[in-house]
Amino acid sequence: MRIVLIGSSGRLGRAIFNGLAPSHRVIGIDRSPFSTTHLFGDFTDAALLRRALTDADAVIHCAALHAPHVGTVSEDEFAASMWMEHGSWRKRRWLPA
């Protein structure tokens, strides 16, 4: 199974990656480099997601802006980090319905 893991460099993302990688092809996306991350960038980048989601069987979203980011990112950027919740990501034109 090809699984796209958004937020793969964080504590939760690394744990999920390590749990799935032995039996699945996991493609990690994150802003920060780490051994569990294959694509570097912001998941709000349509081109990055288009590339990552090609032939994906599943998506796991565990990216988040949290306490260390307070005061360093705008409120708009914080809100954008949550846009995939509640299925709203399917409303984007560049993602399959």
Side-chain angles (χ1 to χ4, degrees), residues 15-33:
I16 292 170
F17 183 97
N18 290 327
L20 293 174
S23 56
H24 300 283
R25 182 168 176 228
V26 183
I27 307 301
I29 301 175
D30 206 296
R31 295 178 174 194
S32 304

Side-chain angles (χ1 to χ4, degrees), residues 48-72:
L48 176 73
L49 274 187
R50 199 176 295 115
R51 192 169 90 215
L53 293 175
T54 301
D55 298 323
D57 297 303
V59 177
I60 299 173
H61 173 60
C62 57
L65 295 175
H66 48 86
H69 301 101
V70 172
T72 63

Side-chain angles (χ1 to χ4, degrees), residues 78-89:
F78 178 79
S81 75
M82 302 304 173
W83 67 261
M84 289 188 79
E85 291 187 16
H86 310 297
S88 62
W89 60 276

Side-chain angles (χ1 to χ4, degrees), residues 38-53:
H38 305 93
L39 299 173
F40 302 101
D42 196 293
F43 70 83
T44 61
D45 177 345
L48 176 73
L49 274 187
R50 199 176 295 115
R51 192 169 90 215
L53 293 175

